[in-house]
Amino acid sequence: MKIINGNELTIEDVCDVAYKNEEVALPTDPKFWETLEKSRKFLEDYIATGVPTYGVTTDFGDSCHNQISVEKAGELQRTICAYHGIGLGPKFDHETGRAVILARLNGNVKGGHSAIRPVLAKMMVNLLNHDIVPVIPQLGSVGASGDLTPLSYLAAVIMGQRDVYYKGKICPAAEALKAEGLEPLPIEAKEGLALMNGTSVMTAVACLAWKKAERLAKISDFLTAVTSEITRGKDTPFITKVSQLKNHRGQIESAVYIHNIVYQSNRIWKYEEFLEKEIEKMDGKGFVAQHNKIQDRYSIRCAPQINGVYRDTLRFARDLITEELNSANDNPLVDIEVNRIYNTGNFYGGHICAACDYMRTALANISDLSDKQAEIIIDGKFNGLTENLIPFTPADHPRAGLRLGFKAAQITISAIRGEVATYCFPVSLTSAPTEALNQDKVSMGTISARKFAEQIELVYLQFATHLLAAMQAVDLAGKKDFAQFTQDVHTEVRKLSAFVEDDRPLDKEATAVAEWLKTTELFA
C-alpha cells in the first residue's frame, strides 16, 4: 500500500503501482485533509468576489481576457476537457495509464496547492484501486501547458466518459465505473485545470522508462566483461584505483562491477603475468616487434569511462524526474499560507525534457560501445576463435563453407545502433509557438519522454543480439575458463537459445533474450 501525500513518491513506487497493481491510499492525518479543505474554500471564496481568476472564471490561454460568471465555472472545466479530446495515434498501455493517474494524484494533493475537492482525490484513488485506467493517446502534448490533451482523458474518465482499460479489455468508462459500483464525478471550478494542466504524463512515462534504462548499466558492463574475457584482455582498466584517480562516481561503479566479474576468470590476464608470459624480452636487442599488445582497444580499455557517463547520467536524470514527480505543477496554484493565487508556469516540462534528452544521448553511447565490442568478438580477425563465430569446421567437413554464423547478427546490431543514434537530437530544441502565440515557448517534454521509452526497447534488442554472440564465443572458447557470473549468464541464455551449430533464424531467440534481460535477477 502506497500512501500518497504529494511529497515522497519514488520512481520505484510508480513502477510498483504501474506493474504490480499495488493499491494506494491517502494519508489519515487530519491535517492533510484540513489543508485540502481550506485550500478549496479559499479558492471558492476568492472567485466569489468577482476577481478574474485564470482558467476558473476566465477562458484559457490566449483567451484569458474573456471572463465568465462564477455560476459557469464548473461548466467551463467540463468544456476544457471536452475540446482537448483530440489525442491521436497509438495509445499508452495499461501500465503507463496507471502511472499517469498516480503522478497526477500526487501532484494534485501536494500542499493543497491545486485546490481540488477531497472527493476528486478520492476518485483518483478509486480508479487505481479498482484498476479502471484511461486509454490515453500518445500524440497531442507540447509539454506546456503541461499535458493538456492526454490528461483530458483522465479528466473525462473521472466524469464517466471515453474509454478505459478494465479487466483486460477496453470498454466505455461509464460501464467500468458501474461494474465497480462507482459514480461518475463531474469536475467543478478549477478542477479541469488541476487535472490537465500539469506534467504527469511525461513524468509517468519518464519514470517507467528510467527504471528500464537503469538495468542497462549492468548489462552493458557485463558485455564489457565478457568481451574482455573472450579476447583475453588485461585486468588493468578495471582496477578500482585507476577509476578513483579519475574521480567520477559512475566510472568507479562501472569498473568495480566489471572487476567483480572478471577477477576470477582464467581468461583475463593480470598485467604482471601478461608481461612475464606474453612479452618477449629485449635481451640487449635494439628493437623487438612484439606479437602481443600491452593494452586493449578503447572499447574495452575505456569502457568504464564510457559506461560511467551512462551511470552518472542515470543518477542526474533520476533526481530531475523524482523532483518533478513530487511537484505542484498545475496553474494557477493556491497558497493558503499567505492567501494568494499564483498565475505561474509550473506546468512547463523542461526538466523532464532535459532528463530524457540527456538519457537518450547516454543510451546511444553505450549502444555504440556494444556495436564496437560485438565487432571484436564476431570478427575472426580479432576474436582468436573462428570467422563469424561459426563452429570449428575442418576443411573436409560436409558443412565446410556452408556456415556463416553471426555475420547477419552483427549487421543487425549495427543497424540498431544506427537507429538508436537517430534519437539523440535534443527534443527541447523543437519548441515552436502555438495556441495564438500564448504558448510561444514550450517544453516538448512528453515527446522527449516517449522517445526515451522507444529508444530503450531498441537497446534491449541490440544487447540481446550481442549477448547471443558472446555466449556462442564462450562455448567456442570453453565455458569452464570463464568467470562464474559469465557461466551463470550462459546457463540462463542457453535455456532460450542453443549453440548455433548450423545456421538458423535467430529472430525469435533474440527477442526472447531481450525480454529475459528486462526481468532476470542476474541484472536486478
Side-chain angles (χ1 to χ4, degrees), residues 178-484:
K178 183 177 180 181
E180 294 294 322
L182 299 173
E183 291 291 329
L185 179 68
I187 55 178
E188 296 295 345
K190 171 66 171 65
E191 291 178 332
L193 278 177
L195 288 166
M196 295 165 52
N197 198 5
T199 60
S200 297
V201 173
M202 67 181 84
T203 303
V205 173
C207 283
L208 301 184
W210 186 94
K211 196 62 184 174
K212 290 181 180 178
E214 180 191 32
R215 173 179 286 256
L216 289 170
K218 291 181 178 178
I219 300 171
S220 179
D221 280 334
F222 170 71
L223 290 172
T224 293
V226 72
T227 299
S228 185
E229 287 190 276
I230 292 165
T231 58
R232 306 230 53 198
K234 293 83 179 171
D235 67 344
T236 308
F238 315 124
I239 293 173
T240 303
K241 182 63 178 291
V242 172
S243 290
Q244 288 174 337
L245 295 174
K246 179 74 168 176
N247 293 326
H248 296 295
R249 178 176 167 186
Q251 178 181 330
I252 295 169
E253 291 172 350
S254 178
V256 168
Y257 188 87
I258 297 168
H259 192 263
N260 284 343
I261 294 173
V262 303
Y263 81 100
Q264 289 183 328
S265 173
N266 291 327
R267 294 186 61 85
I268 295 290
W269 285 107
K270 291 182 172 52
Y271 191 64
E272 295 75 12
E273 185 181 0
F274 172 80
L275 292 177
E276 177 65 28
K277 294 184 177 181
E278 297 294 316
I279 295 298
E280 181 182 341
K281 303 297 187 292
M282 291 293 291
D283 291 333
K285 302 183 187 75
F287 170 79
V288 172
Q290 298 287 351
H291 295 291
N292 296 293
K293 296 178 180 180
I294 62 171
Q295 59 184 19
D296 300 317
R297 287 176 177 80
Y298 279 22
S299 60
I300 297 174
R301 180 162 35 112
C302 299
Q305 288 81 355
I306 297 165
N307 203 36
V309 173
Y310 183 76
R311 285 176 174 270
D312 284 330
T313 306
L314 274 170
R315 187 175 296 108
F316 172 70
R318 180 190 180 96
D319 286 346
L320 295 188
I321 294 167
T322 304
E323 288 162 0
E324 189 71 36
L325 180 62
N326 291 288
S327 70
N329 52 75
D330 58 295
N331 177 53
L333 294 171
V334 169
D335 186 350
I336 57 174
E337 290 184 4
V338 295
N339 291 332
R340 283 192 64 181
I341 287 184
Y342 303 124
N343 293 332
T344 183
N346 278 9
F347 50 69
Y348 196 90
H351 285 85
I352 293 295
C353 192
C356 296
D357 278 358
Y358 297 148
M359 281 304 310
R360 290 197 313 280
T361 298
L363 270 168
N365 269 295
I366 63 169
S367 166
D368 190 50
L369 178 65
S370 165
D371 182 53
K372 304 309 177 283
Q373 292 175 347
E375 158 63 20
I376 294 170
I377 65 173
I378 294 173
D379 193 331
K381 295 187 293 293
F382 307 117
N383 64 22
L385 298 168
T386 64
E387 185 177 291
N388 298 312
L389 297 177
I390 65 170
F392 293 104
T393 308
D396 60 352
H397 192 282
R399 301 296 297 172
L402 298 177
R403 289 171 167 168
L404 280 300
F406 280 75
K407 181 185 290 290
Q410 186 183 357
I411 296 171
T412 294
I413 289 168
S414 296
I416 296 174
R417 179 215 59 80
E419 187 163 348
V420 165
T422 68
Y423 282 78
C424 289
F425 186 84
V427 174
S428 60
L429 297 185
T430 66
S431 174
T434 188
E435 201 261 301
L437 278 180
N438 171 59
Q439 297 183 18
D440 56 351
K441 174 63 176 168
V442 292
S443 79
M444 310 304 279
T446 312
I447 297 172
S448 185
R450 284 177 38 235
K451 295 303 179 187
F452 177 32
E454 292 171 11
Q455 187 193 38
I456 289 167
E457 297 302 315
L458 293 174
V459 176
Y460 270 102
L461 290 170
Q462 179 187 337
F463 279 12
T465 310
H466 184 172
L467 185 58
L468 287 180
M471 296 303 98
Q472 180 85 356
V474 168
D475 281 322
L476 292 173
K479 175 182 172 181
K480 65 180 179 59
D481 288 329
F482 283 79
Q484 184 58 53

Side-chain angles (χ1 to χ4, degrees), residues 490-502:
H490 178 275
T491 298
E492 294 304 311
V493 171
R494 283 289 171 256
K495 294 176 182 177
L496 301 169
S497 177
F499 178 77
V500 178
E501 188 74 29
D502 290 317

